[in-house]
Amino acid sequence: MSLLCLGLEGTAHSFGAGVVSSKGEVLSNIWHMLSPAEGGIHPREASRHHSDMGPGIIRRSLEEAGISHNEIQLVSFSRGPGLGPCLRTTATMARTLAQKLSVPLIGVNHCVAHIEIGCLESGFEDPVTIYASGGNTQVIAFAGGRFRTFGETLDIALGNMLDVFGRTIGMSFPAGPSIERKAAEGVEYHQLPYSVKGMDLSYSGMLTAAKKLHLEGVPIADICLSIQETAFGMLAEVAERAVAHTKKNELLLTGGVARNNRLTEILEGVAERHGASFHRVSPPLAGDQGAMIAWTGILQHQAGDELPISDSHVMPKWRTDEQDIIWRRKL
Ligand code: AMP
Ligand code: MG
């Protein structure tokens, strides 16, 4: 008998609800992203967005899945990491639903969910994962019962760097897609700080230098090309070392920045050089959405995990490598 899980995602700018079966079928996946006219994301505004939009998104998700409330057998939610007010709003909806429907509640690590939905889609069993989004940039691989972070950004995330640069030159949020389009028109590469420290990365120096190029009158298309080539090259270097040292033969690209074709092309090259298979998570499952939370909720539930409501506080700083991945123990 297949089990149905409703997963709620609400760590930052997006609120999503997805229904996934224990056979791994994504029955629905509805989300909405707060996109402020100007400025960045304010945690309180984002949490208000989630409480305003949440009930409607959940209803639409159930409709699209063709099920009623009482067919949900499990409720999971993104417990962290993320912005406190957003996490609390989402957790409140998940607790209310779990209690009302008398079904188990599962707390899911957002970063782990990005990996697990990628594994579901690709059929990968044990990849090196590049997780690049608005809030995170990590190179992760499973070792000793946990998803270990082999390398990560020491300051801002790759997506955040793109969004902030885009905002400086008048692009709307999220700027990643516009930068990708502009970069395709670029002709001349301009040097930007290439900052890889061991297995870690730093993107803030590049952001400052790119803003400076803009003030100096360098064409926007050339700056976008230079940002992409430098930033993605740095990530590829760390990814390549992770693949070489772990000797894993799968490379997975997940998170919102996985929508970028140039980054995909560069990482494909890395995988090819090391005889590894490559998969880029498809656009609907790459960014923040509920299906990944639902699927990971199912994996945790099947391994015996359950979160008592009294213990279900949110964990804004919950790191990827702080959770025992009990459903993968055998690896
Ligand atoms: P997430 O935080 O996972 O929801 O992903 C959102 C992030 O992905 C934002 O920082 C976007 O700018 C970025 N993003 C989306 N599409 C692209 C793209 N085509 N190229 C680069 N970044 C992108
Ligand atoms: Mg994310």
Side-chain angles (χ1 to χ4, degrees):
M1 229 325 243
S2 182
L3 183 107
L4 295 179
C5 179
L6 171 70
L8 304 186
E9 158 60 36
T11 51
H13 45 60
S14 299
F15 184 86
V19 177
V20 176
S21 79
S22 52
K23 289 183 192 150
E25 302 153 310
V26 177
L27 302 180
S28 67
N29 198 19
I30 310 272
W31 72 89
H32 187 268
M33 187 197 268
L34 171 70
S35 177
E38 55 186 51
I41 300 288
H42 191 289
R44 209 175 41 231
E45 275 171 33
S47 71
R48 195 172 309 135
H49 163 267
H50 296 359
S51 56
D52 288 349
M53 302 289 292
I57 290 178
I58 294 169
R59 196 174 48 246
R60 280 171 51 210
S61 184
L62 296 183
E63 272 167 22
E64 187 168 305
I67 60 167
S68 66
H69 280 91
N70 51 23
E71 287 172 88
I72 299 169
Q73 288 144 296
L74 200 59
V75 173
S76 60
F77 70 104
S78 52
R79 195 179 180 195
L83 305 171
C86 300
L87 292 170
R88 283 191 287 277
T89 302
T90 308
T92 303
M93 286 186 250
R95 286 184 203 114
T96 310
L97 277 167
Q99 219 159 16
K100 177 125 183 71
L101 302 171
S102 303
V103 299
L105 179 70
I106 310 280
V108 170
N109 181 299
H110 174 90
C111 309
V112 167
H114 272 293
I115 303 171
E116 289 297 359
I117 197 72
C119 288
L120 172 67
E121 191 182 60
S122 59
F124 283 0
E125 289 187 350
D126 186 21
V128 168
T129 301
I130 314 298
Y131 166 37
S133 69
N136 295 279
T137 307
Q138 300 183 327
V139 176
I140 306 160
F142 187 80
R146 292 190 174 193
F147 283 115
R148 310 281 170 183
T149 310
F150 279 76
E152 65 188 317
T153 178
L154 297 170
D155 40 54
I156 53 173
L158 176 53
N160 188 231
M161 187 268 290
L162 298 172
D163 294 334
V164 175
F165 177 73
R167 196 160 77 221
T168 312
I169 59 168
M171 289 173 172
S172 57
F173 175 86
S178 316
I179 291 180
E180 177 171 21
R181 277 193 300 276
K182 272 280 163 205
E185 299 163 14
V187 285
E188 192 186 343
Y189 175 80
H190 292 258
Q191 192 92 38
L192 286 172
Y194 182 98
S195 190
V196 174
K197 304 172 188 205
M199 288 295 279
D200 293 327
L201 309 142
S202 160
Y203 285 121
S204 64
M206 174 184 306
L207 176 59
T208 309
K211 286 180 182 169
K212 195 158 159 268
L213 288 182
H214 178 56
L215 290 175
E216 288 166 3
V218 173
I220 284 177
D222 286 349
I223 307 178
C224 291
L225 175 143
S226 308
I227 289 178
Q228 286 209 152
E229 294 309 302
T230 314
F232 299 166
M234 286 162 52
L235 191 52
E237 180 188 332
V238 175
E240 182 148 16
R241 260 201 300 280
V243 172
H245 286 293
T246 60
K247 298 190 170 60
K248 296 196 192 273
N249 56 15
E250 297 161 338
L251 182 62
L252 178 70
L253 172 61
T254 189
V257 188
R259 298 196 175 102
N260 189 289
N261 291 327
R262 179 62 186 138
L263 177 59
T264 301
E265 194 175 75
I266 293 173
L267 291 174
E268 245 164 6
V270 169
E272 207 175 289
R273 278 196 293 284
H274 291 269
S277 311
F278 176 79
H279 182 77
R280 173 249 289 262
V281 174
S282 66
L285 296 176
D288 293 350
Q289 30 69 35
M292 68 179 188
I293 303 297
W295 173 239
T296 312
I298 286 173
L299 295 174
Q300 289 181 223
H301 177 71
Q302 286 175 337
D305 195 19
E306 187 177 330
L307 187 61
I309 294 218
S310 54
D311 274 352
S312 65
H313 57 275
V314 299
M315 294 162 71
K317 297 201 181 300
W318 196 10
R319 288 185 50 88
T320 313
D321 47 18
E322 279 175 350
Q323 185 185 15
D324 287 323
I325 309 300
I326 50 176
W327 60 98
R328 280 177 178 260
R329 242 183 219 143
K330 59 189 184 302
L331 274 177

